[in-house]
Amino acid sequence: MDAKPGRQYATLRDVAQAAGVDISTVSRVLQNKGRVSDATRARIMAASDTLGYQANPAARALKTSRSLTILMVVPQIENPIFASAILGAEAEARRRGYALVVAYDGGGNGSAIIRDVSNVNLIEGVIIASFDEDDKLRQTLASTGRPYVILNRFLPGDPNCVAIDTRAAAHNGVSHLIELGHRRIGHLAGRLGRFNGEMRLQGWSDALEDAGLERGQDLVAEAGYDPERVPQGVDRLLAAGVTAIHAATLLTGAAAIARLHVLGKRVPDDISVVTMHDDLLARVVYPEVTTVALPTQMMGRVAAQRLVSLIEGDTDAPQGPAGTILLPPDDLIIRGSASRAICQKQP
């Protein structure tokens, strides 16, 4: 069913008529408020999708005298994980009648960015992803004066965090390499001493320990999230005699493959590479990257759900997540960057 002739956008009334319910019920479902039966909710969401309904933040803001604007602060725009999370957060914010503003914090100036953007846009809440140390992030959050959700990490003692279980993702990726016969597996680490870097290091270590394999320090090279640091890390791992590399991020995994090409190493014949997160980048490098997919869009969507619930004081939302959330990784996607260890290929 299409929106009514002569009208550019579908309205709540259109959705209500298509679903056979009243407008107030549609409003509750689309704002994730109140209790509605699963069947009614499904009917309303189907009608909304069919009609292409989108909430109008500007109209709602005029009606409520609120800005209905959320700020999302990320430390890397080029990082595929944050790009994907932004898409998920924007879609969910728009569904709930909010606009999303994205700001880039590349230098640990989160509090100043939040202050400056808030002064201009009257921000109602903040989703923040940060590489800052815990104490500095706490100072930033204390200065916001607004509801917030922390994205892609946990902050000890803070319940408003949404992240992905990258320890499990790393374990899955390394376990795949072990199943392929690799016994000396290096880890190209993220930022050690920080939540995700340590989670992924622990997942690598857990998988090796489960298989009774070595976990020496010479098998770990820290590249952080900077592709420019990858060549040095790859060289160190090769010097340690690895037959496979587990990279903590897709970006550094792709950079590792590029470095191996420069060194004349064949991937995966000489060295296998496995990483985590699935994105276009994983499919445009050669060979295509074997990776553990991560629910990054879902992470952004859940963070926006949680923030809107905090803003609106909605503690009874049937689908509104409450408190710290750790999302499980998605499936291992097998492509061309990993194969059996050389010793397994020989007749």
Side-chain angles (χ1 to χ4, degrees):
M1 181 181 296
D2 296 326
K4 290 184 177 181
R7 183 177 289 157
Q8 186 177 5
Y9 300 108
T11 66
L12 283 177
R13 186 179 300 278
D14 296 329
V15 176
Q17 289 178 350
V21 298
D22 58 43
I23 294 176
S24 63
T25 302
V26 173
S27 180
R28 289 201 306 276
V29 168
L30 295 182
Q31 293 184 49
N32 216 23
K33 289 185 174 181
R35 297 191 179 278
V36 178
S37 72
D38 290 342
T40 299
R41 181 180 299 277
R43 197 163 68 249
I44 290 171
M45 294 307 296
S48 174
D49 290 343
T50 299
L51 293 170
Y53 172 78
Q54 294 184 0
N56 186 334
R60 189 174 169 212
L62 288 173
K63 183 177 179 180
T64 61
S65 298
R66 294 169 51 196
S67 71
L68 299 173
T69 302
I70 292 170
L71 173 64
M72 186 169 182
V73 181
V74 297
Q76 286 181 322
I77 295 294
E78 70 278 12
N79 189 317
I81 286 182
F82 295 127
S84 179
I86 289 169
L87 291 176
E90 193 280 329
E92 181 62 22
R94 180 160 34 88
R95 189 182 77 81
R96 297 290 297 269
Y98 284 74
L100 183 76
V101 174
V102 178
Y104 166 61
D105 173 20
N109 298 314
S111 57
I113 291 170
I114 292 169
R115 181 191 65 241
D116 293 345
V117 175
S118 297
N119 288 342
V120 174
N121 293 281
L122 301 176
I123 300 301
E124 295 203 34
V126 179
I127 299 171
I128 184 167
S130 174
F131 293 151
D132 290 344
E133 295 181 356
D134 289 352
D135 288 346
K136 185 170 183 179
L137 179 56
R138 287 192 178 92
Q139 293 173 4
T140 297
L141 296 171
S143 70
T144 65
R146 293 166 175 79
Y148 63 82
V149 170
I150 302 167
L151 185 78
N152 200 43
R153 69 183 278 184
F154 282 179
L155 186 64
D158 197 309
N160 295 317
C161 304
V162 179
I164 297 170
D165 189 350
T166 53
R167 179 174 179 172
H171 187 284
N172 294 349
V174 176
S175 295
H176 176 64
L177 289 169
I178 293 171
E179 290 169 1
L180 291 174
H182 294 278
R183 295 295 177 263
R184 195 158 179 82
I185 301 170
H187 179 60
L188 193 59
R191 290 192 179 185
L192 298 180
R194 308 292 175 87
F195 175 76
N196 275 301
E198 291 297 326
M199 287 271 283
R200 297 169 197 197
L201 176 65
Q202 191 61 56
W204 166 84
S205 179
D206 291 344
L208 295 181
E209 182 178 19
D210 291 346
L213 298 177
E214 181 184 349
R215 298 170 290 152
Q217 284 300 310
D218 61 329
L219 297 178
V220 177
E222 183 178 1
Y225 307 109
D226 184 357
E228 293 183 358
R229 296 178 59 190
V230 168
Q232 181 180 359
V234 168
D235 293 354
R236 174 178 172 177
L237 294 178
L238 291 178
V242 304
T243 64
I245 293 174
H246 175 262
T249 74
L250 174 57
L251 196 60
T252 55
I257 291 175
R259 177 58 178 173
L260 291 168
H261 288 329
V262 168
L263 295 174
K265 300 292 185 181
R266 297 169 301 167
V267 179
D269 293 337
D270 297 327
I271 303 290
S272 288
V273 177
V274 169
T275 184
M276 64 179 68
H277 183 52
D278 187 36
D279 193 83
L280 177 62
L281 179 60
R283 302 187 294 277
V284 298
V285 300
Y286 178 80
E288 295 184 357
V289 183
T290 293
T291 188
V292 177
L294 302 178
T296 49
Q297 280 204 34
M298 177 60 71
M299 178 174 64
R301 185 180 294 274
V302 170
Q305 283 181 353
R306 175 61 181 154
L307 182 59
V308 171
S309 294
L310 291 172
I311 292 170
E312 300 188 351
D314 184 12
T315 59
D316 195 35
Q319 295 180 345
T324 291
I325 297 169
L326 190 64
L327 301 172
D330 290 331
D331 296 335
L332 173 74
I333 300 175
I334 298 176
R335 297 195 179 98
S337 67
S339 65
R340 291 199 171 275
I342 294 173
C343 61
Q344 295 293 318
K345 296 179 182 177
Q346 296 174 345

